[in-house]
Amino acid sequence: QVQLVESGGGLVQPGESLRLSCAAPGSISSVIAMGWYRQAPGKQREWVATITSGGSTNYGDSVKGRFTISRDSAKNTVYLQMNSLKPDDTAVYYCNVKIRQLYDLTHDYWGQGTQVTVSS
């Protein structure tokens, strides 16, 4: 039963920063991409950022220029540096790791979620 372990959430004021971390078990291999999603109450899950196995990054429009995704391949860990936080960033943030299986099949692992609250 593989589980991604997230940490770094908390309560901050607008304009402040947080850094989320997500550690994958060392047994996971053939990683295609790592990413972050978030979900606010009553809303659909929203894609935040992705980093591919080749190091390419992509961001959702709502966080571009403020958030930075990075990875430490040796530790199987992905990070999300969140700067200039605003109330609309309030959500539960979920880590995602996509791996390649046989042929063109893929599988997604998910973290347990970490709460980020931005409020004055």
Side-chain angles (χ1 to χ4, degrees):
Q1 295 180 331
V2 178
Q3 182 72 55
L4 308 181
V5 180
E6 301 182 30
S7 62
L11 173 63
V12 297
Q13 295 183 337
E16 295 183 337
S17 299
L18 281 174
R19 188 194 191 208
L20 305 183
S21 177
C22 174
S27 60
I28 291 182
S29 61
S30 301
V31 174
I32 298 173
M34 298 179 173
W36 292 91
Y37 295 76
R38 67 187 184 186
Q39 188 168 27
K43 294 189 175 182
Q44 291 287 113
R45 183 180 63 186
E46 176 189 17
W47 168 68
V48 175
T50 298
I51 183 167
T52 69
S53 60
S56 299
T57 59
N58 286 284
Y59 300 91
D61 290 339
S62 62
V63 306
K64 189 181 294 290
R66 299 186 299 120
F67 290 10
T68 302
I69 187 171
S70 61
R71 66 179 180 181
D72 185 336
S73 297
K75 298 180 179 180
N76 258 12
T77 301
V78 62
Y79 306 93
L80 185 67
Q81 178 67 43
M82 304 183 294
N83 298 328
S84 302
L85 284 164
K86 53 187 181 181
D88 284 349
D89 296 318
T90 296
V92 177
Y93 285 70
Y94 296 93
C95 174
N96 167 264
V97 176
K98 184 182 293 292
I99 68 168
R100 185 185 306 279
Q101 298 181 308
L102 291 177
Y103 304 102
D104 61 343
L105 298 177
T106 61
H107 180 76
D108 290 284
Y109 293 96
W110 294 91
Q112 79 280 9
T114 184
Q115 177 70 47
V116 172
T117 302
V118 185
S119 177
S120 59

